Amino acid sequence: VMAARGVPAEACVGQLVLPGDVLLLPAHPDEDGERLRLGAGAARRGRLLCGPGLRRGGAGLTVTKCGLLRHRPAGGGSGGGAFWVDSQQKRYVPVKGDHVIGIVTAKTGDLFKVDVGGSEQASLSYLAFEGATKRNRPNVQVGDLIYGQFLVANKDMEPELVCIDSSGRASGMGVIGQDGFLFKVSLGLIRKLLAPKCEIIQELSQLYPFELVLGMNGRIWVKAKTVQQTLIIVNILEACEYMTAEQRKQALAKLSAN
């Protein structure tokens, strides 16, 4: 019944939705049909963003993944905001604009092939680095870790990564430094860690200094002063999946006391 007729999206927030469900959006007669844009960039006033697990359909939004429906209102209460489905998904599906950690697997002509944990590898042009020219090529080797952003990501085309923003700056992207430790967590935990003012990151940063790179594809790279400190950070981040906030605080308090 739900799939055929649809229910208001706002009534389903926080509830389980299934692939094929149709979510109806509040009507805004003064807005054109182009208002709903796919992506996670900054929205214009009143624009509604359609996030992971949802696709724009004739009647509203069609659910493509099983999970809990989430909604983030737009700043300033101007309508719009974003809807997405929070799912316990293991395999990463590239999304345009996502920042990910990839592993360079091959050099083919002017392109690097990069494993991003999806169903197929992404391509990365040697010109997609800050300051790169035909003569001044970036020093990228097979096996290097890359922190980049998806420029192209849809089901009909090979995903394409870049290591520069729209103004040609690296903005922290590029080859990730040597050493360090790369590991994988669930996509749900990554979203939690990337949230503004994440408590877990704030608590860890009081333990001792470390470098941290978080990829939306579930990969984390971490490097502290010593191997032992690096592994402690890794173990805590992996355990965060199953620990309550109280258990985490107790574990960190023990480490601080040592």
Side-chain angles (χ1 to χ4, degrees):
V1 178
M2 183 172 167
R5 294 181 192 165
V7 294
E10 282 159 1
C12 294
V13 173
Q15 294 183 17
L16 182 71
V17 290
L18 300 172
D21 287 351
V22 175
L23 307 174
L24 304 175
L25 296 168
H28 294 292
D30 55 329
E31 289 185 0
D32 56 31
E34 289 293 298
R35 278 295 187 197
L36 192 78
R37 285 272 192 269
L38 206 64
R44 263 194 279 156
R45 186 176 173 83
R47 177 174 289 177
L48 183 61
L49 295 176
C50 173
L54 298 169
R55 192 178 66 237
R56 181 68 201 252
L61 302 175
T62 304
V63 179
T64 58
K65 280 184 205 164
C66 175
L68 298 176
L69 184 69
R70 303 288 188 203
H71 178 238
R72 186 183 66 235
S78 55
F83 283 101
W84 73 96
V85 176
D86 212 351
S87 60
Q88 282 299 320
Q89 178 192 331
K90 295 279 192 290
R91 156 88 28 113
Y92 173 72
V93 178
V95 175
K96 185 179 176 179
D98 271 7
H99 287 80
V100 295
I101 297 175
I103 303 163
V104 179
T105 58
K107 281 183 181 182
T108 54
D110 293 341
L111 293 175
F112 300 106
K113 290 288 178 189
V114 184
D115 164 27
V116 290
S119 57
E120 62 177 322
Q121 300 203 342
S123 65
L124 170 66
S125 166
Y126 75 92
L127 288 171
F129 290 82
E130 184 176 349
T133 62
K134 289 195 173 182
R135 286 188 174 179
N136 180 30
R137 290 180 172 235
N139 180 21
V140 180
Q141 307 299 326
V142 171
D144 280 353
L145 296 181
I146 292 280
Y147 181 59
Q149 181 178 22
F150 281 110
L151 182 69
V152 174
N154 62 52
K155 64 182 191 303
D156 304 315
M157 292 172 73
E158 177 187 53
E160 187 183 329
L161 280 173
V162 291
C163 291
I164 44 176
D165 60 19
S166 54
S167 56
R169 302 274 179 188
S171 298
M173 292 182 279
V175 177
I176 296 174
Q178 295 303 305
D179 307 325
F181 191 92
L182 180 73
F183 63 106
K184 198 168 184 325
V185 297
S186 76
L187 303 183
L189 179 57
I190 278 290
R191 280 196 288 270
K192 199 185 287 183
L193 295 173
L194 282 167
K197 296 180 182 171
C198 169
E199 275 190 2
I200 300 168
I201 304 291
Q202 287 178 344
E203 289 166 12
L204 278 175
S205 63
Q206 289 166 13
L207 208 52
Y208 31 67
F210 61 92
E211 294 175 64
L212 185 70
V213 182
L214 300 166
M216 283 292 283
N217 53 342
R219 288 178 181 161
I220 298 178
W221 178 87
V222 65
K223 181 186 178 184
K225 204 176 270 183
T226 66
V227 173
Q228 186 189 13
Q229 288 182 354
T230 299
L231 291 174
I232 287 171
I233 299 281
V234 170
N235 287 332
I236 290 171
L237 285 171
E238 284 184 326
C240 278
E241 196 99 54
Y242 314 103
M243 282 197 290
T244 63
E246 195 50 49
Q247 288 170 329
R248 188 179 69 241
K249 284 186 171 72
Q250 284 172 3
L252 286 166
K254 271 185 197 167
L255 285 167
S256 302
N258 289 344

